[in-house]
Amino acid sequence: MNNETKHQKFGAVFYWSVGILLVLIFIGAFAPKVMENYTAAIQSAITSTFGWYYLIIVTIFVCVCLFLIVSPYGKLKLGKSDEKPEYSYPTWFALLFSAGMGTGLLFWGTAEPISHFAIDSPTGQTGTDQAAMDALRYVYFHWGIHGWSIYVLIALCLAFFNFRRGGDGSISSTLSPIMKNTDGPLGKIVDIIGIIATVAGIATTLGFGASQINGGISYIWNIPNSFLIQLVIIIIITVIFLISATTGIDKGIKILSNVNMILALVLLVFFIVFGSTVYSLNLFTDTIGKYIQRLPEMSFRLTPNNEQSREWINNWTIFYWAWWMAWSPYVGTFIARVSRGRTIREFTIGVLLVPTIVTFIWFAFLGGTAIDMQMTGIADLASMNTEQMLFGTLKEMPISFITSLLSLILISIFFITSGDSATVVLGMQSVKGVLNPSNRNKLIWGVLLSAIATVLLYSGGLQALQNTMIIAAFPFSFVMILMTISLIKELQQVKREIELSGATKDKLMSRRLQKQLIKQELKEEKRWIESKMEEEKKRLKKKKKEKMEELNNKKEE
C-alpha cells in the first residue's frame, strides 16, 4: 500500500471536523434563533475586542510578502530546482480568480461602492464628491494587497513545505520547524481549525451566490426572493459542482475557470464601453493615488473615540479581514496546488499584485458606473437590496436583459467553481494533504458545504453567514501567525543549506584546482627534464662528433 493510498483513509481530522459541522447544522436547522443570537454575540465580542489585532497582523502579512519579493529567498522554487510550472500564465491567473474571489466580485462589484457612497460612508459624509472618492478608496483597501497577502502566505507555506521540503500538504505540516510532532494531537487540532475556517468562509460565499442568483431572478422575472428559492438554487448548483469535482482539476475546474475569465472579461468590457467610462477613468486615477498615499493610515485606522466610525470598521474592514482569513486555507491550498514550479518571487508578485490591479479596474468601472447613476439620479440603487444592485445597474444600460442573463450565468459558474475547488481542497486537508482525494471524500464535503450554507441562510440570512465566518476565522488567525514564523525559519534553514552546499562546492573546486596545478607542475617538470635530457644528448653527440673529427685529423697527419 503506497503512502497516498494509505492517507486516503479517513482519520481523526476528518471525523472530528465532520462531527463539529454536523452539530452546527443540527442547531441551525432546529434552533435557528439560538444560533443567530449566539453567533451575533460572539462576533460582536471578537470585533470590538480584537479589531486592533486584525489590523496589525494583516499589515504585518503585507510587509512579509513585500520582503519576500525583494529578498534573496525570491529565487527559490516551489519544487525542485529544475521543475517547470504546470499551467500557463493565462490558465494560472484564471484559476486564481475563480478560486480566490469570483462570486465576491460580482456580489460586491456595485453593492460595496454604493453602500460606502450613499448608505454608510467610512467618513460619515454620504452622497458627496468626497464620499465617492472615499468609497472607491476603501473598496481598494478591502480587495487589494492586504487581502491577497493573506492568500500569498498560506499558499506559499503549503507549496514550499509540500513541493520543496517533501511535506504531506496539510496545514499542520507547515509547522514542522516549530512543532516536534505534526502528526500528534496538536497537529490534528491545527488541521481541524483550518477545515472549520474553510467551511465557514466558503459557505458564506455560497450563501452570497445563492442570494444574488435569487435576487437576479427576482429582479428580472418577479419570482419571489425567498429562502425556498435559495434552497432550490443551492441544491441544483451543488449537484453540478459535485459532478464537476469528480473530473479533477485538469478538466472540470480548469475548463470552467477559463470560461469564467472570458465571461467576466466580456462583462467588464461592456461596462467600460457602455458605462460611465470617462467618470470611471477619472475616479480610478484619482482614487488610486489616494489609496497609495493613505494606505498606511487606512491600515491602522480604528477610531477608538468615534463609535459610529468604529462600528463601520467592524462591519466592513474587520469583516473583510476575517473573510480573507476564513477563505485562506481553501484558496491557499488550491493556489499552492496549481503553482508548483514557480519561484517565490514570481509566485508572490503574481498572486499579490496582478489580481489586485485587475480587481481595482473591475471596481472602478462597475462601482464608478453605479456611483454615477446614483449621483445623477438615473437610478436609486441605494434603495435596493444588496444582492440586486448589480441588476439594477444593468437595467439602465443597453441590452440589459442579455447582460443580466450573462451575469446570472457568470455568478452560477463562479458558484460552481468555488464549490468544485472547495470540495477538492477540503478533501485534501481532511486526509493529510493528499493531492487527489477520492470522489467519496469530495462528495461528503460538497454536501456538508451546501448544508452549512443552507442552515446559515435559514437561521439569519446574510448576517448569520458573516457572523459565523468571523468567529471561525479568529482561531485560524493564530495558526497563520505560526505558519509565517515557521516559513521564515525554514527559509533561513534553506539559506544555510545553500551556503553550506556552496562552501562544500568551493572546497571541491579548490581541491580540483590544486590537483590541476600539481598535474600542470608535473607536466612542466617532465618537459624540463626531457628538455635537459635532449640538450645533454645533443651535447654528447656533438662531443662525440668532435672527437671523431679529431681522430680523423690525426690519421691524416
Side-chain angles (χ1 to χ4, degrees):
M1 181 181 292
N2 61 38
N3 196 41
E4 178 142 327
T5 304
K6 177 183 176 182
H7 284 317
Q8 289 281 6
K9 292 185 176 181
F10 298 145
V13 172
F14 175 86
Y15 290 117
W16 273 100
S17 301
V18 170
I20 292 170
L21 293 171
L22 287 175
V23 170
L24 292 175
I25 291 170
F26 180 83
I27 296 172
F30 295 100
K33 285 299 178 184
V34 173
M35 187 169 188
E36 181 183 7
N37 293 337
Y38 272 100
T39 56
I42 297 171
Q43 179 269 342
S44 178
I46 290 174
T47 54
S48 61
T49 306
F50 293 96
W52 59 271
Y53 164 75
Y54 276 102
L55 295 184
I56 289 174
I57 63 166
V58 174
T59 304
I60 289 174
F61 293 155
V62 173
C63 295
V64 172
C65 290
L66 297 178
F67 165 74
L68 291 174
I69 291 175
V70 300
S71 74
Y73 302 131
K75 294 184 291 185
L76 298 176
K77 272 199 172 184
L78 302 176
K80 297 177 182 178
S81 57
D82 59 347
E83 280 193 79
K84 301 295 182 184
E86 187 176 357
Y87 300 99
S88 65
Y89 277 118
T91 298
W92 187 48
F93 289 133
L95 291 167
L96 293 183
F97 276 102
S98 295
M101 56 200 313
T103 305
L105 281 178
L106 286 160
F107 189 90
W108 296 109
T110 55
E112 186 175 349
I114 285 295
S115 180
H116 297 342
F117 168 68
I119 301 173
D120 188 15
S121 171
T123 57
Q125 299 177 357
T126 57
T128 64
D129 292 340
Q130 185 60 45
M133 302 297 178
D134 292 336
L136 222 54
R137 175 164 58 91
Y138 272 92
V139 168
Y140 295 161
F141 178 52
H142 293 151
W143 292 86
I145 62 172
H146 280 68
W148 279 97
S149 70
I150 296 172
Y151 287 174
V152 167
L153 284 178
I154 296 295
L156 190 56
C157 287
L158 291 166
F160 187 79
F161 281 94
N162 188 5
F163 304 138
R164 178 86 184 196
R165 307 300 274 177
D168 58 28
S170 63
I171 291 174
S172 60
S173 70
T174 66
L175 303 181
S176 56
I178 58 176
M179 186 185 295
K180 290 183 178 179
N181 182 17
T182 58
D183 289 328
L186 194 56
K188 289 180 172 60
I189 290 172
V190 167
D191 288 332
I192 292 168
I193 290 172
I195 289 173
I196 299 301
T198 301
V199 171
I202 299 169
T204 300
T205 302
L206 297 183
F208 283 155
S211 64
Q212 192 174 29
I213 293 172
N214 189 184
I217 293 173
S218 175
Y219 194 82
I220 298 171
W221 290 294
N222 292 322
I223 295 174
N225 194 346
S226 66
F227 169 75
L228 183 60
I229 299 296
Q230 292 168 9
L231 175 61
V232 172
I233 292 169
I234 289 175
I235 292 172
I236 294 172
I237 297 294
T238 300
V239 172
I240 296 173
F241 78 63
L242 285 176
I243 294 172
S244 175
T246 61
T247 64
I249 292 177
D250 290 327
K251 293 182 181 178
I253 300 177
K254 180 179 177 180
I255 294 169
L256 289 173
S257 296
N258 285 323
V259 171
N260 267 350
M261 290 303 296
I262 294 171
L263 294 180
L265 182 61
V266 169
L267 186 62
L268 177 60
V269 170
F270 176 78
F271 269 91
I272 292 174
V273 175
F274 296 103
S276 304
T277 307
V278 175
Y279 177 76
S280 296
L281 285 169
N282 290 336
L283 192 64
F284 173 74
T285 305
D286 188 273
T287 50
I288 280 290
K290 286 183 169 58
Y291 167 75
I292 295 171
Q293 179 186 10
R294 303 183 67 176
L295 187 58
E297 175 194 335
M298 291 188 291
S299 299
F300 297 102
R301 178 175 180 255
L302 207 55
T303 62
N305 298 318
N306 188 323
E307 187 175 342
Q308 183 176 355
S309 295
R310 176 60 193 275
E311 184 179 358
W312 186 93
I313 293 168
N314 289 345
N315 292 338
W316 286 99
T317 303
I318 304 303
F319 159 71
Y320 268 117
W321 291 175
W323 194 6
W324 287 91
M325 286 182 191
W327 260 54
S328 63
Y330 149 59
V331 179
T333 303
F334 190 81
I335 292 175
R337 172 70 177 80
V338 300
S339 301
R340 185 169 190 161
R342 301 194 183 276
T343 65
I344 289 178
R345 181 174 293 114
E346 176 189 18
F347 173 87
T348 306
I349 292 173
V351 181
L352 186 66
L353 299 182
V354 175
T356 294
I357 293 169
V358 176
T359 300
F360 287 178
I361 295 172
W362 176 275
F363 276 105
F365 284 96
L366 271 71
T369 298
I371 289 173
D372 189 44
M373 287 183 180
Q374 183 73 34
M375 189 179 291
T376 56
I378 294 175
D380 185 13
L381 301 174
S383 64
M384 298 179 183
N385 294 330
T386 304
E387 61 269 20
Q388 293 183 330
M389 289 183 183
L390 172 62
F391 301 100
T393 305
L394 290 171
K395 184 181 179 182
E396 306 302 328
M397 301 173 71
I399 56 171
S400 60
F401 182 77
I402 295 175
T403 53
S404 295
L405 281 179
L406 173 67
S407 298
L408 280 175
I409 294 170
L410 187 54
I411 295 165
S412 299
I413 297 178
F414 272 130
F415 195 150
I416 293 167
T417 53
S418 294
D420 187 340
S421 49
T423 59
V424 174
V425 168
L426 287 167
M428 290 168 60
Q429 292 299 338
S430 62
V431 287
K432 293 299 290 180
V434 170
L435 293 180
N436 298 296
S438 66
N439 287 335
R440 181 176 63 137
N441 190 340
K442 291 185 282 188
L443 176 66
I444 292 170
W445 286 114
V447 172
L448 281 173
L449 274 175
S450 298
I452 287 286
T454 301
V455 298
L456 289 175
L457 283 172
Y458 175 66
S459 63
L462 296 180
Q463 190 59 52
L465 291 168
Q466 296 179 24
N467 292 343
T468 305
M469 186 195 56
I470 290 173
I471 295 168
F474 183 66
F476 187 72
S477 66
F478 298 104
V479 176
M480 283 196 65
I481 294 173
L482 295 176
M483 291 175 72
T484 304
I485 295 171
S486 183
L487 176 65
I488 293 172
K489 287 191 68 173
E490 195 66 12
L491 289 174
Q492 292 173 340
Q493 176 62 26
V494 171
K495 182 181 177 183
R496 285 192 292 269
E497 291 174 2
I498 292 173
E499 289 173 349
L500 182 61
S501 175
T504 303
K505 288 180 180 178
D506 289 343
K507 287 180 181 179
L508 291 173
M509 183 63 71
S510 177
R511 289 176 183 173
R512 193 177 294 116
L513 287 172
Q514 286 177 0
K515 287 181 180 179
Q516 289 176 350
L517 287 172
I518 292 171
K519 191 175 181 180
Q520 185 69 26
E521 287 175 358
L522 290 172
K523 285 183 179 180
E524 292 291 336
E525 186 175 351
K526 183 179 179 181
R527 281 197 295 268
W528 182 82
I529 292 172
E530 288 176 347
S531 173
K532 289 299 180 182
M533 290 177 67
E534 186 67 27
E535 288 178 1
E536 182 64 18
K537 187 177 179 181
K538 287 181 180 178
R539 189 185 67 79
L540 291 172
K541 188 176 181 181
K542 182 179 179 182
K543 188 174 181 181
K544 183 178 180 182
K545 184 178 180 182
E546 289 176 348
K547 190 72 174 174
M548 291 297 294
E549 288 178 352
E550 184 180 348
L551 289 172
N552 289 334
N553 289 337
K554 284 183 178 182
K555 285 181 179 180
E556 289 177 0
E557 289 178 358

